[in-house]
Amino acid sequence: MNENEFDIKLEVAGNSYRIPVRRGDEEEEFLYREAAKRVGLHLVQYRQYFSKSLENIQLLTMVAIHLARDILKLEAENDVGTYDRKIQQWTDKLDEYLKK
């Protein structure tokens, strides 16, 4: 760790993790803390759903899949490439029409 970083301590599933964060980057620190909090909340939900029959590693895997799915949904919603291609197709059609 260099002098421009410091460690924050996060607790997830009864384990403590140290994450390096750039000094003065409150947003990054907040995001890490919020991420750990959400993982914990999802962990509780999955533990209740499966009636405590699964080990922490299995539950954490389910949480990781859940959060990865959420990320993929957000990426798909924010993919402007599809819109760019469609607009280009319409522009090309309009250009062809106007040339006639």
Side-chain angles (χ1 to χ4, degrees):
M1 181 171 58
N2 65 42
E3 61 190 41
N4 294 326
E5 294 180 337
F6 69 101
D7 285 345
I8 59 172
K9 183 178 163 187
L10 302 176
E11 301 265 340
V12 177
N15 295 308
S16 180
Y17 301 93
R18 295 184 131 355
I19 306 289
V21 177
R22 287 184 303 267
R23 290 194 187 282
D25 194 342
E26 292 85 17
E27 181 180 8
E28 184 177 10
E29 180 179 355
F30 170 79
L31 290 172
Y32 273 117
R33 293 188 188 284
E34 188 62 27
K37 191 183 306 181
R38 288 189 187 187
V39 167
L41 291 173
H42 285 297
L43 187 61
V44 167
Q45 290 172 339
Y46 277 107
R47 185 173 285 126
Q48 290 172 347
Y49 181 79
F50 289 107
S51 304
K52 300 179 184 177
S53 63
L54 297 178
E55 300 288 324
N56 268 350
I57 190 70
Q58 293 168 309
L59 293 170
L60 287 168
T61 301
M62 297 292 293
V63 170
I65 291 168
H66 180 110
L67 294 173
R69 185 215 54 192
D70 288 350
I71 290 168
L72 291 171
K73 278 175 64 175
L74 287 172
E75 286 175 351
E77 289 172 6
N78 292 321
D79 180 17
V80 295
T82 304
Y83 299 114
D84 285 342
R85 287 187 294 278
K86 198 63 163 171
I87 289 170
Q88 187 60 52
Q89 288 172 353
W90 291 338
T91 302
D92 293 344
K93 286 182 182 182
L94 183 59
D95 285 345
E96 283 179 34
Y97 179 77
L98 292 173
K99 287 179 184 177
K100 290 181 181 179

